[in-house]
Amino acid sequence: MMLMEENYQAEREAREKRIAEYSKRIQEYTLAHSRQIIDELVAERHWQNITQQEIANIIGIMPSNLARFESGSRVATLAVLPKYASALGKHIEIRICDNE
């Protein structure tokens, strides 16, 4: 009985370790891709000579939150990104693809 419990504990710890590592990789991947989208939106905002204040007013968020998204100190949500793009006359396409 003791051996089964030890095996269960070992398997549980190994599973938790795998999940933690996988979650870390997903977060890193998501942050990198979010950063790319934000950089493109910021470049477009600058090209159109639109201020952060103007975009924030259009999409209904605080200018300080927009500044945090743009600086990378806060991750923009999937709800905010399409609004930001739309305010610039753009849209974001989301596709499900195989990992590279």
Side-chain angles (χ1 to χ4, degrees), residues 25-47:
R25 282 189 275 152
I26 288 173
Q27 287 177 339
E28 290 169 354
Y29 179 85
T30 302
L31 286 173
H33 283 78
S34 294
R35 183 76 254 150
Q36 178 185 356
I37 293 168
I38 289 290
D39 289 346
E40 290 179 32
L41 291 171
V42 171
E44 182 65 25
R45 179 177 67 75
H46 288 161
W47 186 82

Short mmCIF file of all heavy atoms in Angstrom, two decimals, residues 25-47:
data_model
loop_
_atom_site.label_atom_id
_atom_site.label_comp_id
_atom_site.label_asym_id
_atom_site.label_seq_id
_atom_site.Cartn_x
_atom_site.Cartn_y
_atom_site.Cartn_z
N ARG A 25 6.13 28.06 -20.93
CA ARG A 25 6.40 28.18 -22.37
C ARG A 25 5.24 28.86 -23.09
O ARG A 25 5.44 29.67 -23.99
CB ARG A 25 6.70 26.82 -22.98
CG ARG A 25 8.11 26.35 -22.67
CD ARG A 25 8.47 25.12 -23.45
NE ARG A 25 7.98 23.98 -22.68
CZ ARG A 25 7.62 22.81 -23.19
NH1 ARG A 25 7.68 22.61 -24.48
NH2 ARG A 25 7.20 21.84 -22.44
N ILE A 26 4.01 28.54 -22.70
CA ILE A 26 2.84 29.17 -23.32
C ILE A 26 2.84 30.66 -23.03
O ILE A 26 2.59 31.48 -23.92
CB ILE A 26 1.53 28.52 -22.81
CG1 ILE A 26 1.38 27.13 -23.40
CG2 ILE A 26 0.32 29.38 -23.17
CD1 ILE A 26 0.22 26.35 -22.84
N GLN A 27 3.14 31.05 -21.81
CA GLN A 27 3.17 32.47 -21.46
C GLN A 27 4.24 33.20 -22.24
O GLN A 27 4.00 34.31 -22.75
CB GLN A 27 3.40 32.64 -19.96
CG GLN A 27 2.20 32.28 -19.14
CD GLN A 27 2.45 32.38 -17.65
OE1 GLN A 27 3.59 32.35 -17.20
NE2 GLN A 27 1.40 32.50 -16.88
N GLU A 28 5.43 32.62 -22.36
CA GLU A 28 6.50 33.26 -23.11
C GLU A 28 6.12 33.43 -24.57
O GLU A 28 6.34 34.48 -25.17
CB GLU A 28 7.79 32.45 -22.99
CG GLU A 28 8.40 32.50 -21.60
CD GLU A 28 9.52 31.49 -21.40
OE1 GLU A 28 9.77 30.65 -22.29
OE2 GLU A 28 10.15 31.53 -20.33
N TYR A 29 5.53 32.40 -25.15
CA TYR A 29 5.09 32.44 -26.55
C TYR A 29 4.02 33.51 -26.74
O TYR A 29 4.08 34.31 -27.67
CB TYR A 29 4.57 31.06 -26.95
CG TYR A 29 4.08 30.97 -28.37
CD1 TYR A 29 4.97 30.71 -29.40
CD2 TYR A 29 2.73 31.10 -28.68
CE1 TYR A 29 4.53 30.60 -30.71
CE2 TYR A 29 2.28 31.00 -29.97
CZ TYR A 29 3.18 30.75 -30.99
OH TYR A 29 2.73 30.66 -32.28
N THR A 30 3.05 33.55 -25.84
CA THR A 30 1.96 34.51 -25.93
C THR A 30 2.47 35.93 -25.78
O THR A 30 2.06 36.83 -26.53
CB THR A 30 0.89 34.21 -24.85
OG1 THR A 30 0.42 32.88 -25.04
CG2 THR A 30 -0.27 35.17 -24.94
N LEU A 31 3.35 36.16 -24.83
CA LEU A 31 3.91 37.50 -24.65
C LEU A 31 4.67 37.96 -25.89
O LEU A 31 4.54 39.11 -26.31
CB LEU A 31 4.83 37.53 -23.43
CG LEU A 31 4.15 37.50 -22.07
CD1 LEU A 31 5.19 37.36 -20.96
CD2 LEU A 31 3.31 38.74 -21.86
N ALA A 32 5.43 37.07 -26.48
CA ALA A 32 6.20 37.43 -27.68
C ALA A 32 5.27 37.81 -28.83
O ALA A 32 5.50 38.80 -29.52
CB ALA A 32 7.11 36.27 -28.09
N HIS A 33 4.21 37.03 -29.02
CA HIS A 33 3.29 37.33 -30.12
C HIS A 33 2.42 38.54 -29.82
O HIS A 33 2.11 39.31 -30.72
CB HIS A 33 2.46 36.10 -30.46
CG HIS A 33 3.24 35.10 -31.26
ND1 HIS A 33 4.16 34.26 -30.68
CD2 HIS A 33 3.27 34.85 -32.57
CE1 HIS A 33 4.71 33.53 -31.62
NE2 HIS A 33 4.19 33.86 -32.78
N SER A 34 2.03 38.73 -28.58
CA SER A 34 1.28 39.93 -28.21
C SER A 34 2.13 41.16 -28.45
O SER A 34 1.65 42.18 -28.94
CB SER A 34 0.87 39.88 -26.73
OG SER A 34 -0.04 38.85 -26.51
N ARG A 35 3.40 41.07 -28.11
CA ARG A 35 4.33 42.18 -28.30
C ARG A 35 4.40 42.56 -29.77
O ARG A 35 4.40 43.74 -30.13
CB ARG A 35 5.71 41.78 -27.76
CG ARG A 35 6.76 42.85 -27.81
CD ARG A 35 6.55 43.89 -26.70
NE ARG A 35 6.03 45.10 -27.29
CZ ARG A 35 5.22 45.97 -26.68
NH1 ARG A 35 4.84 45.77 -25.47
NH2 ARG A 35 4.79 47.03 -27.28
N GLN A 36 4.45 41.58 -30.64
CA GLN A 36 4.52 41.83 -32.07
C GLN A 36 3.26 42.57 -32.55
O GLN A 36 3.36 43.54 -33.30
CB GLN A 36 4.66 40.51 -32.84
CG GLN A 36 4.71 40.66 -34.33
CD GLN A 36 4.74 39.31 -35.04
OE1 GLN A 36 4.80 38.26 -34.40
NE2 GLN A 36 4.70 39.34 -36.34
N ILE A 37 2.10 42.15 -32.10
CA ILE A 37 0.84 42.79 -32.50
C ILE A 37 0.80 44.22 -31.97
O ILE A 37 0.46 45.15 -32.71
CB ILE A 37 -0.37 41.97 -32.00
CG1 ILE A 37 -0.42 40.63 -32.73
CG2 ILE A 37 -1.66 42.74 -32.18
CD1 ILE A 37 -1.39 39.63 -32.13
N ILE A 38 1.14 44.41 -30.71
CA ILE A 38 1.13 45.75 -30.12
C ILE A 38 2.10 46.66 -30.87
O ILE A 38 1.76 47.81 -31.18
CB ILE A 38 1.48 45.70 -28.62
CG1 ILE A 38 0.33 45.07 -27.84
CG2 ILE A 38 1.80 47.08 -28.08
CD1 ILE A 38 -0.92 45.91 -27.75
N ASP A 39 3.29 46.17 -31.17
CA ASP A 39 4.27 46.99 -31.90
C ASP A 39 3.72 47.44 -33.24
O ASP A 39 3.91 48.60 -33.65
CB ASP A 39 5.58 46.23 -32.10
CG ASP A 39 6.37 46.06 -30.81
OD1 ASP A 39 6.06 46.74 -29.82
OD2 ASP A 39 7.31 45.23 -30.80
N GLU A 40 3.01 46.54 -33.93
CA GLU A 40 2.41 46.91 -35.22
C GLU A 40 1.31 47.95 -35.04
O GLU A 40 1.19 48.89 -35.83
CB GLU A 40 1.86 45.67 -35.93
CG GLU A 40 2.95 44.74 -36.42
CD GLU A 40 2.40 43.50 -37.10
OE1 GLU A 40 1.31 43.58 -37.72
OE2 GLU A 40 3.07 42.45 -37.01
N LEU A 41 0.50 47.79 -33.99
CA LEU A 41 -0.56 48.77 -33.73
C LEU A 41 0.01 50.13 -33.36
O LEU A 41 -0.48 51.17 -33.82
CB LEU A 41 -1.49 48.26 -32.62
CG LEU A 41 -2.37 47.06 -32.99
CD1 LEU A 41 -3.07 46.52 -31.74
CD2 LEU A 41 -3.38 47.44 -34.06
N VAL A 42 1.05 50.15 -32.56
CA VAL A 42 1.68 51.41 -32.16
C VAL A 42 2.29 52.10 -33.38
O VAL A 42 2.13 53.31 -33.57
CB VAL A 42 2.76 51.19 -31.07
CG1 VAL A 42 3.56 52.46 -30.82
CG2 VAL A 42 2.10 50.72 -29.78
N ALA A 43 2.94 51.33 -34.24
CA ALA A 43 3.52 51.90 -35.45
C ALA A 43 2.43 52.51 -36.33
O ALA A 43 2.59 53.62 -36.87
CB ALA A 43 4.30 50.84 -36.23
N GLU A 44 1.32 51.82 -36.44
CA GLU A 44 0.19 52.34 -37.23
C GLU A 44 -0.39 53.60 -36.58
O GLU A 44 -0.73 54.56 -37.27
CB GLU A 44 -0.89 51.26 -37.38
CG GLU A 44 -2.08 51.69 -38.22
CD GLU A 44 -1.76 51.96 -39.68
OE1 GLU A 44 -0.78 51.40 -40.21
OE2 GLU A 44 -2.51 52.74 -40.31
N ARG A 45 -0.50 53.59 -35.26
CA ARG A 45 -1.01 54.78 -34.55
C ARG A 45 -0.11 55.98 -34.82
O ARG A 45 -0.59 57.08 -35.11
CB ARG A 45 -1.11 54.50 -33.04
CG ARG A 45 -1.62 55.70 -32.24
CD ARG A 45 -1.78 55.38 -30.78
NE ARG A 45 -0.53 55.12 -30.08
CZ ARG A 45 0.35 56.04 -29.72
NH1 ARG A 45 0.17 57.31 -30.02
NH2 ARG A 45 1.45 55.70 -29.07
N HIS A 46 1.19 55.77 -34.74
CA HIS A 46 2.13 56.86 -35.02
C HIS A 46 2.02 57.32 -36.47
O HIS A 46 2.03 58.53 -36.73
CB HIS A 46 3.57 56.42 -34.72
CG HIS A 46 3.85 56.29 -33.26
ND1 HIS A 46 4.91 55.56 -32.78
CD2 HIS A 46 3.23 56.76 -32.17
CE1 HIS A 46 4.93 55.60 -31.46
NE2 HIS A 46 3.90 56.32 -31.06
N TRP A 47 1.92 56.37 -37.40
CA TRP A 47 1.82 56.70 -38.82
C TRP A 47 0.58 57.56 -39.08
O TRP A 47 0.61 58.47 -39.90
CB TRP A 47 1.79 55.41 -39.65
CG TRP A 47 1.84 55.67 -41.11
CD1 TRP A 47 2.95 55.90 -41.87
CD2 TRP A 47 0.73 55.72 -42.01
NE1 TRP A 47 2.60 56.10 -43.18
CE2 TRP A 47 1.23 56.00 -43.29
CE3 TRP A 47 -0.65 55.57 -41.85
CZ2 TRP A 47 0.42 56.12 -44.41
CZ3 TRP A 47 -1.47 55.68 -42.96
CH2 TRP A 47 -0.93 55.96 -44.22
#
